[in-house]
Amino acid sequence: KVPEPWIALEKSGDNRVKCLLSTYDFSKGLISQVKTNGEDQLASPVMFKGKSGGKKLIFQGSTKIKVGKDGLNATIEKNFTSSKLKINCTGEMDFDGFIKYRIKLEPVGNKVKLDSLQLQIPLKVKQAMDYYVMGDHMDYMTGVVPGKKGVFWQSLDGGLFRRHEIAEYGAMSRPRKSMIYGNFYPYAWIGNNHRGLCYMADNDRGWTQGEEESAVSLYRNTKSAGINLNLIAEPVVIEK
């Protein structure tokens, strides 16, 4: 049973799922739109962007949604196909709006060499006022999204408040070992006091990190501000 004050998930049409305060539209991209408290959050759909052989990959997608009888959760299957790469995404949506995706890459044919693959989460500029990034040991950075266009935070730069090294926050007498490999960061949020979207991941399993490319970055441009996840940061061969 769904606990109060939440409500059971409800499917609306072919590609929408409603939860308390928000309606998710899955018609395009990984998520097409999220309407929260009556306002759209996304400037454009959450999309994969990739290159192979120096050329952009153009994806065609399909969607299947099934809401459980008790409304506690829903299954979202998203499949994207290009001339060289297939991306199969299985999502588990909970009654509170949290979605866990498992993403599998498959070549069209025996193998494919990917130059890059990113997942971009673009919010409307008016919705993106503040941001929060968290690393290991609960180290964090928070601030106001600047008005200047461009990348305003990237994981290569770090710059987090290292609370685990400060005595009043319970610092240890010996340094703690990092639980993070490379410049991967497990959590980033962007939004305002009433709405927002975040990404989170347990670890960087399946990512290909680069020495000169950030795994996670936050940006602002004319129409959007959001989170960029650099899933494939340097060339890698995907085989069956």
Side-chain angles (χ1 to χ4, degrees), residues 37-123:
N37 289 328
E39 292 189 17
D40 290 342
Q41 293 200 60
L42 293 173
S44 58
V46 177
M47 293 286 290
F48 291 100
K49 294 187 177 181
K51 286 186 177 181
S52 176
K55 296 182 180 180
K56 291 183 180 180
L57 297 175
I58 307 300
F59 293 103
Q60 299 294 327
S62 63
T63 305
K64 291 182 180 179
I65 299 174
K66 183 178 181 180
V67 176
K69 291 182 179 180
D70 53 10
L72 280 168
N73 49 55
T75 300
I76 300 106
E77 293 184 9
K78 305 284 295 189
N79 296 305
F80 304 94
T81 303
S82 70
S83 60
K84 296 184 177 182
L85 182 69
K86 296 179 181 179
I87 305 178
N88 302 317
C89 308
T90 301
E92 300 172 12
M93 181 176 180
D94 293 335
F95 60 85
D96 59 359
F98 173 82
I99 306 172
K100 178 174 69 176
Y101 275 110
R102 296 184 183 275
I103 300 171
K104 183 179 180 180
L105 306 182
E106 293 184 0
V108 175
N110 292 325
K111 62 181 179 180
V112 60
K113 184 177 182 180
L114 290 179
D115 300 336
S116 62
L117 183 67
Q118 300 174 340
L119 183 64
Q120 296 185 340
I121 307 172
L123 274 75

Coordinates of all heavy atoms in Angstrom, one line a residue, residues 37-123:
N37 N 4.1 20.9 -9.7 CA 3.3 22.0 -9.2 C 2.8 22.9 -10.4 O 2.9 24.1 -10.3 CB 4.2 22.8 -8.3 CG 4.4 22.1 -6.9 OD1 3.5 21.4 -6.5 ND2 5.5 22.3 -6.3
G38 N 2.4 22.3 -11.5 CA 1.8 23.0 -12.6 C 2.8 23.6 -13.6 O 2.4 24.3 -14.5
E39 N 4.1 23.4 -13.4 CA 5.1 24.0 -14.3 C 6.0 23.0 -14.9 O 6.5 22.1 -14.2 CB 5.9 25.1 -13.6 CG 5.1 26.3 -13.2 CD 6.0 27.5 -12.7 OE1 7.2 27.4 -12.9 OE2 5.4 28.4 -12.0
D40 N 6.3 23.1 -16.2 CA 7.3 22.2 -16.8 C 8.7 22.6 -16.3 O 9.1 23.7 -16.2 CB 7.3 22.4 -18.3 CG 6.0 21.9 -19.0 OD1 5.3 21.1 -18.3 OD2 5.7 22.3 -20.1
Q41 N 9.5 21.5 -16.1 CA 10.9 21.7 -15.6 C 11.9 21.6 -16.8 O 12.9 22.4 -16.8 CB 11.2 20.6 -14.6 CG 10.5 20.7 -13.3 CD 11.2 20.0 -12.2 OE1 12.3 20.3 -11.9 NE2 10.5 18.9 -11.7
L42 N 11.7 20.8 -17.7 CA 12.7 20.5 -18.8 C 12.6 21.5 -19.9 O 11.5 21.8 -20.4 CB 12.6 19.1 -19.3 CG 13.0 18.0 -18.3 CD1 12.7 16.6 -18.9 CD2 14.5 18.1 -17.9
A43 N 13.7 22.0 -20.4 CA 13.8 22.8 -21.6 C 13.7 22.0 -22.8 O 13.2 22.4 -23.9 CB 15.1 23.6 -21.6
S44 N 14.1 20.7 -22.8 CA 14.0 19.7 -23.9 C 14.2 18.4 -23.2 O 14.6 18.2 -22.1 CB 15.1 20.0 -24.9 OG 16.4 19.9 -24.4
P45 N 13.9 17.3 -24.0 CA 14.0 16.0 -23.4 C 15.4 15.6 -22.9 O 16.4 16.0 -23.4 CB 13.5 15.0 -24.5 CG 12.7 15.9 -25.4 CD 13.3 17.3 -25.3
V46 N 15.4 14.7 -21.9 CA 16.7 14.1 -21.4 C 17.1 13.1 -22.5 O 16.4 12.2 -22.8 CB 16.5 13.4 -20.0 CG1 17.8 12.7 -19.6 CG2 16.0 14.4 -19.0
M47 N 18.3 13.4 -23.1 CA 18.7 12.6 -24.3 C 20.1 12.2 -24.2 O 21.0 12.8 -23.5 CB 18.5 13.5 -25.5 CG 17.1 13.9 -25.9 SD 16.2 12.6 -26.6 CE 17.0 12.4 -28.2
F48 N 20.4 11.0 -24.9 CA 21.7 10.6 -25.1 C 22.3 11.3 -26.4 O 21.5 11.5 -27.3 CB 21.7 9.1 -25.4 CG 21.4 8.2 -24.2 CD1 20.1 7.7 -24.1 CD2 22.4 8.0 -23.3 CE1 19.8 6.9 -23.0 CE2 22.1 7.2 -22.2 CZ 20.8 6.6 -22.0
K49 N 23.5 11.7 -26.3 CA 24.2 12.3 -27.4 C 25.6 11.6 -27.6 O 26.4 11.5 -26.7 CB 24.4 13.8 -27.2 CG 23.1 14.6 -27.2 CD 23.4 16.1 -27.2 CE 22.0 16.8 -27.2 NZ 22.2 18.3 -27.2
G50 N 25.8 11.0 -28.8 CA 27.0 10.2 -29.0 C 27.6 10.4 -30.3 O 27.0 11.0 -31.3
K51 N 28.9 10.0 -30.4 CA 29.6 10.1 -31.7 C 30.4 8.8 -31.9 O 30.9 8.2 -31.0 CB 30.6 11.3 -31.7 CG 30.0 12.6 -31.9 CD 31.1 13.7 -32.0 CE 30.5 15.1 -32.2 NZ 31.5 16.1 -32.4
S52 N 30.5 8.4 -33.2 CA 31.3 7.2 -33.6 C 31.9 7.5 -34.9 O 31.2 8.0 -35.9 CB 30.4 6.0 -33.7 OG 31.1 4.9 -34.2
G53 N 33.2 7.4 -35.0 CA 33.9 7.7 -36.3 C 33.8 9.2 -36.6 O 33.8 9.5 -37.8
G54 N 33.7 10.0 -35.6 CA 33.6 11.5 -35.8 C 32.2 12.0 -36.2 O 32.1 13.2 -36.4
K55 N 31.2 11.1 -36.3 CA 29.9 11.5 -36.7 C 28.9 11.3 -35.6 O 29.0 10.3 -34.8 CB 29.5 10.6 -38.0 CG 30.3 10.9 -39.2 CD 29.8 10.0 -40.4 CE 30.7 10.3 -41.6 NZ 30.2 9.5 -42.8
K56 N 27.9 12.2 -35.6 CA 26.9 12.1 -34.5 C 26.0 10.9 -34.8 O 25.7 10.5 -35.9 CB 26.0 13.4 -34.6 CG 26.7 14.6 -34.1 CD 25.8 15.8 -34.1 CE 26.5 17.1 -33.7 NZ 25.6 18.3 -33.7
L57 N 25.6 10.3 -33.7 CA 24.7 9.1 -33.7 C 23.3 9.7 -33.6 O 23.0 10.5 -32.7 CB 25.0 8.2 -32.6 CG 26.3 7.5 -32.6 CD1 26.5 6.6 -31.4 CD2 26.5 6.6 -33.9
I58 N 22.4 9.3 -34.5 CA 21.0 9.7 -34.5 C 20.2 8.5 -34.0 O 20.1 7.5 -34.6 CB 20.5 10.1 -35.9 CG1 21.5 11.2 -36.5 CG2 19.1 10.6 -35.9 CD1 21.6 12.5 -35.7
F59 N 19.5 8.8 -32.9 CA 18.7 7.7 -32.2 C 17.2 7.8 -32.5 O 16.7 8.9 -32.5 CB 19.0 7.7 -30.7 CG 20.4 7.4 -30.3 CD1 21.2 8.4 -29.9 CD2 20.8 6.1 -30.3 CE1 22.5 8.1 -29.5 CE2 22.1 5.8 -29.9 CZ 23.0 6.8 -29.5
Q60 N 16.6 6.6 -32.7 CA 15.2 6.5 -32.8 C 14.8 5.7 -31.6 O 15.4 4.6 -31.2 CB 14.8 5.8 -34.1 CG 15.1 6.5 -35.4 CD 14.4 7.8 -35.5 OE1 13.3 7.9 -35.1 NE2 15.1 8.8 -36.1
G61 N 13.7 6.1 -30.9 CA 13.4 5.5 -29.6 C 12.0 4.8 -29.6 O 11.1 5.2 -30.4
S62 N 11.8 3.9 -28.6 CA 10.5 3.3 -28.4 C 10.3 3.3 -26.9 O 11.2 3.3 -26.1 CB 10.4 1.9 -29.0 OG 11.4 1.0 -28.4
T63 N 9.0 3.2 -26.5 CA 8.7 3.3 -25.1 C 7.6 2.3 -24.7 O 6.6 2.1 -25.4 CB 8.2 4.7 -24.7 OG1 9.1 5.6 -25.1 CG2 7.9 4.8 -23.2
K64 N 7.8 1.6 -23.6 CA 6.7 0.7 -23.0 C 6.6 1.0 -21.5 O 7.6 1.0 -20.8 CB 7.0 -0.8 -23.2 CG 6.9 -1.2 -24.7 CD 7.2 -2.7 -24.8 CE 7.1 -3.2 -26.2 NZ 7.4 -4.7 -26.3
I65 N 5.4 1.2 -21.0 CA 5.2 1.6 -19.6 C 4.2 0.6 -19.0 O 3.1 0.4 -19.6 CB 4.7 3.0 -19.4 CG1 5.8 4.0 -20.0 CG2 4.4 3.3 -18.0 CD1 5.4 5.4 -20.0
K66 N 4.5 0.1 -17.8 CA 3.5 -0.7 -17.1 C 3.5 -0.3 -15.6 O 4.5 -0.3 -15.0 CB 3.9 -2.2 -17.2 CG 2.9 -3.1 -16.6 CD 3.2 -4.6 -16.7 CE 2.2 -5.5 -16.1 NZ 2.6 -6.9 -16.2
V67 N 2.3 0.1 -15.1 CA 2.2 0.5 -13.7 C 1.6 -0.7 -13.0 O 0.7 -1.4 -13.4 CB 1.2 1.7 -13.6 CG1 1.0 2.0 -12.1 CG2 1.8 2.9 -14.3
G68 N 2.2 -1.0 -11.8 CA 1.8 -2.1 -11.0 C 0.4 -1.9 -10.5 O -0.1 -0.7 -10.4
K69 N -0.3 -3.0 -10.2 CA -1.7 -2.9 -9.7 C -1.9 -2.1 -8.5 O -2.9 -1.4 -8.3 CB -2.2 -4.3 -9.5 CG -2.3 -5.2 -10.8 CD -2.9 -6.5 -10.5 CE -3.1 -7.4 -11.8 NZ -3.6 -8.7 -11.5
D70 N -0.9 -2.1 -7.6 CA -1.0 -1.4 -6.3 C -0.5 0.1 -6.4 O -0.7 0.8 -5.5 CB -0.3 -2.1 -5.2 CG 1.2 -2.4 -5.5 OD1 1.7 -1.9 -6.6 OD2 1.8 -3.1 -4.8
G71 N 0.0 0.4 -7.6 CA 0.5 1.8 -7.8 C 1.8 2.2 -7.1 O 2.2 3.3 -7.0
L72 N 2.4 1.2 -6.5 CA 3.7 1.4 -5.8 C 4.8 1.7 -6.7 O 5.7 2.5 -6.4 CB 4.0 0.2 -4.9 CG 3.3 0.1 -3.6 CD1 3.6 -1.3 -3.0 CD2 3.8 1.2 -2.6
N73 N 4.8 1.1 -7.9 CA 5.9 1.3 -8.8 C 5.4 1.1 -10.3 O 4.3 0.7 -10.5 CB 7.1 0.4 -8.5 CG 6.6 -1.1 -8.3 OD1 6.0 -1.6 -9.2 ND2 6.9 -1.7 -7.2
A74 N 6.3 1.5 -11.2 CA 6.0 1.3 -12.6 C 7.3 0.9 -13.3 O 8.4 1.2 -12.8 CB 5.5 2.6 -13.2
T75 N 7.2 0.2 -14.4 CA 8.4 -0.2 -15.2 C 8.3 0.6 -16.5 O 7.3 0.6 -17.2 CB 8.3 -1.7 -15.5 OG1 8.4 -2.5 -14.3 CG2 9.5 -2.1 -16.4
I76 N 9.5 1.2 -16.8 CA 9.6 2.0 -18.0 C 10.7 1.4 -18.9 O 11.9 1.3 -18.4 CB 9.9 3.5 -17.8 CG1 8.8 4.1 -16.9 CG2 10.1 4.2 -19.1 CD1 9.1 4.3 -15.5
E77 N 10.4 0.9 -20.1 CA 11.4 0.4 -21.0 C 11.6 1.3 -22.1 O 10.6 1.6 -22.9 CB 10.9 -1.0 -21.5 CG 10.9 -2.1 -20.5 CD 10.5 -3.5 -21.0 OE1 10.5 -3.6 -22.3 OE2 10.3 -4.4 -20.3
K78 N 12.8 1.8 -22.3 CA 13.1 2.7 -23.3 C 14.3 2.1 -24.2 O 15.3 1.7 -23.6 CB 13.6 4.1 -22.8 CG 12.7 4.7 -21.8 CD 11.5 5.4 -22.5 CE 12.0 6.5 -23.4 NZ 10.8 7.3 -23.9
N79 N 14.1 2.0 -25.5 CA 15.1 1.5 -26.3 C 15.4 2.5 -27.4 O 14.5 3.0 -28.1 CB 14.6 0.1 -27.0 CG 14.4 -0.9 -25.9 OD1 15.3 -1.3 -25.2 ND2 13.2 -1.5 -25.9
F80 N 16.7 2.7 -27.6 CA 17.2 3.7 -28.6 C 18.1 3.0 -29.6 O 19.0 2.2 -29.2 CB 17.9 4.9 -27.9 CG 17.1 5.6 -26.9 CD1 17.2 5.2 -25.6 CD2 16.2 6.6 -27.2 CE1 16.4 5.9 -24.6 CE2 15.5 7.2 -26.3 CZ 15.6 6.9 -25.0
T81 N 17.9 3.2 -30.9 CA 18.7 2.6 -31.9 C 19.2 3.6 -32.9 O 18.5 4.5 -33.4 CB 17.8 1.5 -32.6 OG1 17.3 0.6 -31.7 CG2 18.7 0.8 -33.7
S82 N 20.5 3.5 -33.2 CA 21.1 4.2 -34.2 C 21.7 3.3 -35.2 O 21.6 2.1 -35.1 CB 22.2 5.2 -33.7 OG 23.3 4.4 -33.2
S83 N 22.5 3.8 -36.2 CA 23.0 2.9 -37.2 C 24.2 2.1 -36.7 O 24.5 1.0 -37.2 CB 23.6 3.8 -38.4 OG 24.6 4.7 -37.9
K84 N 24.7 2.4 -35.5 CA 25.9 1.7 -35.0 C 25.7 1.2 -33.5 O 26.4 0.3 -33.1 CB 27.1 2.6 -35.0 CG 27.6 2.9 -36.4 CD 28.9 3.7 -36.4 CE 29.4 4.0 -37.8 NZ 30.7 4.7 -37.8
L85 N 24.7 1.8 -32.8 CA 24.6 1.5 -31.4 C 23.2 1.4 -30.9 O 22.3 2.1 -31.4 CB 25.3 2.6 -30.6 CG 25.3 2.5 -29.0 CD1 26.2 1.3 -28.6 CD2 25.7 3.8 -28.4
K86 N 22.9 0.4 -30.1 CA 21.6 0.3 -29.4 C 21.8 0.6 -27.9 O 22.8 0.2 -27.3 CB 21.1 -1.2 -29.5 CG 20.8 -1.6 -30.9 CD 20.3 -3.0 -30.9 CE 20.0 -3.5 -32.3 NZ 19.5 -4.9 -32.3
I87 N 20.9 1.3 -27.3 CA 20.9 1.6 -25.9 C 19.5 1.1 -25.3 O 18.5 1.6 -25.7 CB 21.0 3.1 -25.6 CG1 22.3 3.7 -26.3 CG2 21.1 3.4 -24.1 CD1 22.5 5.2 -26.2
N88 N 19.6 0.1 -24.5 CA 18.5 -0.4 -23.8 C 18.4 0.1 -22.4 O 19.3 -0.2 -21.6 CB 18.5 -1.9 -23.9 CG 18.6 -2.5 -25.3 OD1 17.9 -2.0 -26.2 ND2 19.5 -3.5 -25.5
C89 N 17.3 0.7 -22.0 CA 17.1 1.3 -20.7 C 15.9 0.7 -20.0 O 14.8 0.8 -20.5 CB 17.0 2.8 -20.8 SG 18.2 3.6 -21.7
T90 N 16.1 0.1 -18.8 CA 15.0 -0.4 -18.0 C 14.9 0.5 -16.8 O 15.8 0.5 -16.0 CB 15.2 -1.9 -17.7 OG1 15.4 -2.6 -18.8 CG2 14.1 -2.4 -16.8
G91 N 13.7 1.1 -16.6 CA 13.5 2.0 -15.5 C 12.5 1.5 -14.5 O 11.5 0.9 -14.9
E92 N 12.8 1.7 -13.2 CA 11.9 1.3 -12.2 C 11.5 2.6 -11.4 O 12.4 3.2 -10.8 CB 12.6 0.3 -11.2 CG 13.0 -1.0 -11.8 CD 13.8 -1.8 -10.9 OE1 13.8 -1.5 -9.7 OE2 14.4 -2.8 -11.4
M93 N 10.3 3.0 -11.6 CA 9.8 4.2 -11.0 C 9.0 3.9 -9.7 O 8.1 3.1 -9.7 CB 8.9 5.0 -12.0 CG 8.4 6.3 -11.4 SD 7.4 7.2 -12.7 CE 6.9 8.7 -11.8
D94 N 9.4 4.6 -8.6 CA 8.7 4.5 -7.3 C 7.6 5.5 -7.2 O 7.5 6.5 -7.9 CB 9.6 4.6 -6.2 CG 10.6 3.4 -6.1 OD1 10.3 2.3 -6.7 OD2 11.7 3.6 -5.6
F95 N 6.7 5.3 -6.2 CA 5.5 6.2 -6.0 C 5.9 7.6 -5.7 O 5.1 8.5 -5.9 CB 4.6 5.6 -4.9 CG 5.3 5.5 -3.6 CD1 5.4 6.6 -2.7 CD2 5.9 4.3 -3.2 CE1 6.0 6.4 -1.5 CE2 6.5 4.1 -2.0 CZ 6.5 5.2 -1.1
D96 N 7.2 7.8 -5.2 CA 7.6 9.2 -4.9 C 8.2 9.9 -6.1 O 8.7 11.1 -5.9 CB 8.6 9.2 -3.7 CG 9.8 8.3 -4.0 OD1 9.9 7.8 -5.1 OD2 10.7 8.3 -3.1
G97 N 8.3 9.3 -7.2 CA 8.9 9.9 -8.4 C 10.3 9.6 -8.7 O 10.9 10.0 -9.7
F98 N 11.0 8.8 -7.8 CA 12.3 8.4 -8.0 C 12.4 7.3 -9.1 O 11.5 6.4 -9.2 CB 12.9 7.8 -6.8 CG 14.3 7.2 -6.9 CD1 15.4 7.9 -6.9 CD2 14.4 5.8 -7.1 CE1 16.7 7.4 -7.1 CE2 15.6 5.2 -7.2 CZ 16.8 6.0 -7.2
I99 N 13.3 7.4 -10.1 CA 13.4 6.4 -11.2 C 14.9 5.9 -11.2 O 15.8 6.7 -11.2 CB 13.1 7.1 -12.5 CG1 11.8 7.7 -12.5 CG2 13.2 6.0 -13.7 CD1 11.5 8.6 -13.8
K100 N 15.0 4.6 -11.2 CA 16.3 3.9 -11.3 C 16.4 3.3 -12.7 O 15.6 2.4 -13.0 CB 16.5 2.9 -10.2 CG 17.8 2.2 -10.3 CD 18.1 1.2 -9.1 CE 17.2 0.0 -9.1 NZ 17.5 -0.9 -8.0
Y101 N 17.3 3.8 -13.5 CA 17.5 3.2 -14.8 C 18.8 2.3 -14.8 O 19.8 2.6 -14.2 CB 17.8 4.3 -15.8 CG 16.5 4.9 -16.4 CD1 16.1 6.2 -16.0 CD2 15.7 4.2 -17.3 CE1 15.0 6.8 -16.6 CE2 14.5 4.8 -17.8 CZ 14.2 6.1 -17.4 OH 13.0 6.6 -18.0
R102 N 18.6 1.2 -15.5 CA 19.7 0.3 -15.8 C 19.9 0.4 -17.3 O 19.0 0.2 -18.1 CB 19.5 -1.1 -15.4 CG 19.3 -1.3 -13.9 CD 19.2 -2.8 -13.5 NE 18.9 -2.9 -12.1 CZ 19.9 -3.0 -11.2 NH1 21.2 -2.9 -11.6 NH2 19.6 -3.1 -9.9
I103 N 21.1 0.8 -17.7 CA 21.4 1.1 -19.1 C 22.4 0.1 -19.7 O 23.5 -0.2 -19.1 CB 22.0 2.5 -19.3 CG1 21.0 3.5 -18.7 CG2 22.3 2.9 -20.7 CD1 21.5 4.9 -18.6
K104 N 22.1 -0.5 -20.9 CA 22.9 -1.5 -21.5 C 23.2 -1.0 -22.9 O 22.3 -0.6 -23.7 CB 22.2 -2.8 -21.6 CG 23.1 -3.9 -22.2 CD 22.3 -5.3 -22.2 CE 23.1 -6.4 -22.8 NZ 22.4 -7.7 -22.8
L105 N 24.5 -1.0 -23.3 CA 24.9 -0.6 -24.6 C 25.2 -1.9 -25.5 O 25.9 -2.8 -25.0 CB 26.2 0.2 -24.6 CG 26.1 1.5 -23.7 CD1 27.5 2.2 -23.8 CD2 25.0 2.4 -24.1
E106 N 24.7 -1.9 -26.7 CA 25.0 -3.0 -27.6 C 25.3 -2.5 -29.0 O 24.7 -1.5 -29.4 CB 23.7 -3.9 -27.7 CG 23.4 -4.7 -26.4 CD 22.2 -5.6 -26.7 OE1 21.7 -5.7 -27.8 OE2 21.8 -6.3 -25.7
P107 N 26.3 -3.1 -29.6 CA 26.6 -2.7 -31.0 C 25.6 -3.2 -32.0 O 24.9 -4.2 -31.8 CB 28.0 -3.3 -31.3 CG 27.9 -4.6 -30.4 CD 27.1 -4.2 -29.2
V108 N 25.4 -2.5 -33.1 CA 24.7 -3.0 -34.2 C 25.7 -3.7 -35.1 O 26.5 -3.1 -35.7 CB 24.0 -1.8 -35.0 CG1 23.3 -2.4 -36.3 CG2 23.0 -1.1 -34.2
G109 N 25.7 -5.0 -35.0 CA 26.8 -5.8 -35.6 C 27.6 -6.4 -34.5 O 27.2 -6.5 -33.3
N110 N 28.8 -6.8 -34.8 CA 29.7 -7.4 -33.8 C 30.3 -6.5 -32.8 O 30.5 -6.8 -31.6 CB 30.8 -8.3 -34.5 CG 30.2 -9.5 -35.2 OD1 29.2 -10.1 -34.8 ND2 30.8 -9.8 -36.4
K111 N 30.7 -5.3 -33.3 CA 31.3 -4.3 -32.4 C 31.2 -2.9 -32.9 O 30.9 -2.7 -34.1 CB 32.8 -4.7 -32.1 CG 33.6 -4.7 -33.4 CD 35.1 -5.1 -33.0 CE 36.0 -5.1 -34.2 NZ 37.3 -5.5 -33.9
V112 N 31.4 -1.9 -32.1 CA 31.4 -0.5 -32.5 C 32.4 0.3 -31.7 O 32.5 0.0 -30.5 CB 30.0 0.1 -32.4 CG1 29.5 0.1 -30.9 CG2 30.0 1.5 -32.9
K113 N 33.1 1.2 -32.3 CA 34.0 2.0 -31.5 C 33.3 3.4 -31.3 O 32.9 4.1 -32.2 CB 35.3 2.3 -32.3 CG 36.3 3.1 -31.5 CD 37.6 3.2 -32.3 CE 38.6 4.0 -31.5 NZ 39.9 4.2 -32.2
L114 N 33.1 3.7 -30.0 CA 32.4 4.9 -29.7 C 33.5 6.0 -29.4 O 34.4 5.7 -28.6 CB 31.5 4.7 -28.4 CG 30.2 3.9 -28.6 CD1 29.5 3.9 -27.3 CD2 29.3 4.6 -29.6
D115 N 33.3 7.2 -29.9 CA 34.1 8.3 -29.6 C 33.7 8.9 -28.2 O 34.5 9.3 -27.4 CB 34.0 9.4 -30.7 CG 34.5 8.9 -32.0 OD1 35.3 7.9 -32.1 OD2 34.1 9.5 -33.0
S116 N 32.4 9.0 -28.1 CA 31.8 9.6 -26.8 C 30.3 9.3 -26.7 O 29.7 8.9 -27.7 CB 32.0 11.2 -26.9 OG 31.2 11.7 -28.0
L117 N 29.9 9.4 -25.5 CA 28.4 9.2 -25.2 C 28.1 10.0 -23.9 O 28.7 9.8 -22.9 CB 28.1 7.7 -25.0 CG 26.6 7.5 -24.8 CD1 25.8 7.8 -26.1 CD2 26.3 6.0 -24.4
Q118 N 27.1 10.9 -24.1 CA 26.7 11.7 -23.0 C 25.2 11.6 -22.7 O 24.5 11.3 -23.7 CB 27.1 13.2 -23.2 CG 28.6 13.4 -23.4 CD 28.8 14.9 -23.9 OE1 28.0 15.6 -24.3 NE2 30.1 15.3 -23.7
L119 N 24.8 11.9 -21.5 CA 23.4 12.0 -21.2 C 23.2 13.4 -20.6 O 23.8 13.8 -19.6 CB 23.0 10.9 -20.1 CG 21.5 10.9 -19.8 CD1 20.6 10.6 -21.0 CD2 21.2 9.9 -18.6
Q120 N 22.3 14.2 -21.2 CA 22.1 15.6 -20.8 C 20.7 15.8 -20.2 O 19.7 15.3 -20.7 CB 22.3 16.5 -22.0 CG 23.8 16.5 -22.5 CD 24.0 17.5 -23.6 OE1 23.1 18.0 -24.3 NE2 25.3 17.8 -23.9
I121 N 20.7 16.5 -19.0 CA 19.5 16.8 -18.3 C 19.3 18.3 -18.3 O 19.8 19.0 -17.5 CB 19.5 16.2 -16.9 CG1 19.9 14.7 -16.9 CG2 18.2 16.4 -16.2 CD1 20.2 14.2 -15.5
P122 N 18.5 18.8 -19.3 CA 18.4 20.3 -19.5 C 17.2 20.9 -18.8 O 16.1 20.7 -19.3 CB 18.4 20.4 -21.0 CG 17.8 19.2 -21.5 CD 17.9 18.1 -20.4
L123 N 17.3 21.6 -17.8 CA 16.2 22.3 -17.2 C 16.0 23.7 -17.8 O 16.9 24.3 -18.4 CB 16.4 22.5 -15.7 CG 16.0 21.4 -14.7 CD1 17.0 20.2 -14.9 CD2 15.9 21.9 -13.3

